[in-house]
Amino acid sequence: MTDSHSPYRRGRWYWEEFSATASGAGADLAALRRGLGQEAGGVPELWPYHRCVLPEYVAEEGHRDYRLTAEHAALTLFAVHQQHQQQPMHVAGVGTGVALRALRKSEKFSEEAVDRRVNAAATSTDTAELVHHLRGLVTQLRGIRQPLDYTRLYRDIRDWHFPEGQERVRRSWGAQYYAWTAASGDRPAAS
């Protein structure tokens, strides 16, 4: 969903803008990558790319905010993913589990190795650990030129801050990764 009238953001997310213009903004991506491993909101080079609207008390007092943390993570992961790619690596509708299933089936890495990395991400106990594991997976997705929906990923990272959100994201990724839907066409064979 690219509703530019959301009360939680100003306009479209950066990755949506980038993908819509097919811009080759290498300097933008380099600036975003400088935010890897850094505190959300603490890297001045990233400030122009943030679209998140924060509650007034957060903006005035500099408190941490889960929305800003999620956007920062999505921005930096997108920059890693888009690096050296001609096609946009943000494609609306490509869930994280779907993208990771494509990685598993790519034969570039063993299915067992991808399963271990996906499991490590899915069992992360906090957002920092999740983003750490996602960075490795996004690098592998870049290697097979597999895009994903960064707006969805932003929401997943945002929701990861809450126990019920973690459970929802795990179920969603699991259903996509193991193709539990009838429309997937490549469901595991019945035992």
Side-chain angles (χ1 to χ4, degrees):
M1 179 171 165
T2 59
D3 174 22
S4 60
H5 301 292
S6 170
Y8 303 109
R9 71 170 182 267
R10 295 172 289 118
R12 295 191 304 176
W13 298 112
Y14 172 79
W15 50 84
E16 293 172 343
E17 293 171 6
F18 183 97
S19 298
T21 62
S23 151
D28 288 2
L29 296 174
L32 293 173
R33 286 192 301 276
R34 283 194 281 284
L36 287 165
Q38 302 298 319
E39 189 72 32
V43 182
E45 293 90 350
L46 268 69
W47 292 349
Y49 305 104
H50 283 286
R51 305 295 185 260
C52 191
V53 173
L54 301 176
E56 193 169 319
Y57 76 92
V58 172
E60 287 183 4
E61 299 176 19
H63 293 288
R64 293 174 118 182
D65 184 82
Y66 63 95
R67 291 165 293 229
L68 184 63
T69 300
E71 183 184 18
H72 178 88
L75 282 167
T76 59
L77 291 171
F78 173 74
V80 167
H81 200 170
Q82 190 63 52
Q83 186 177 21
H84 304 303
Q85 299 298 315
Q86 298 300 313
Q87 299 299 318
M89 290 294 106
H90 162 70
V91 173
V94 179
T96 303
V98 171
L100 295 173
R101 184 175 75 235
L103 178 65
R104 185 177 198 258
K105 294 184 172 295
S106 73
E107 298 182 358
K108 186 165 183 167
F109 307 97
S110 75
E111 288 186 355
E112 295 79 18
V114 175
D115 288 348
R116 279 193 302 276
R117 290 194 111 177
V118 170
N119 188 56
T123 59
S124 296
T125 57
D126 62 38
T127 306
E129 181 185 1
L130 173 67
V131 172
H132 170 76
H133 291 299
L134 286 173
R135 182 177 176 184
L137 288 164
V138 162
T139 300
Q140 290 182 324
L141 290 170
R142 180 183 68 206
I144 65 164
R145 294 184 173 102
Q146 173 60 51
L148 62 87
D149 186 332
Y150 274 86
T151 303
R152 260 194 202 177
L153 184 62
Y154 158 78
R155 286 193 304 258
D156 290 347
I157 296 169
R158 178 198 65 197
D159 292 353
W160 203 267
H161 285 84
F162 307 100
E164 64 278 2
Q166 289 180 16
E167 292 304 315
R168 182 201 60 77
V169 173
R170 283 185 186 115
R171 283 190 303 271
S172 174
W173 288 1
Q176 295 170 11
Y177 188 67
Y178 287 105
W180 293 339
T181 60
S184 67
D186 57 351
R187 290 188 317 274
S191 55

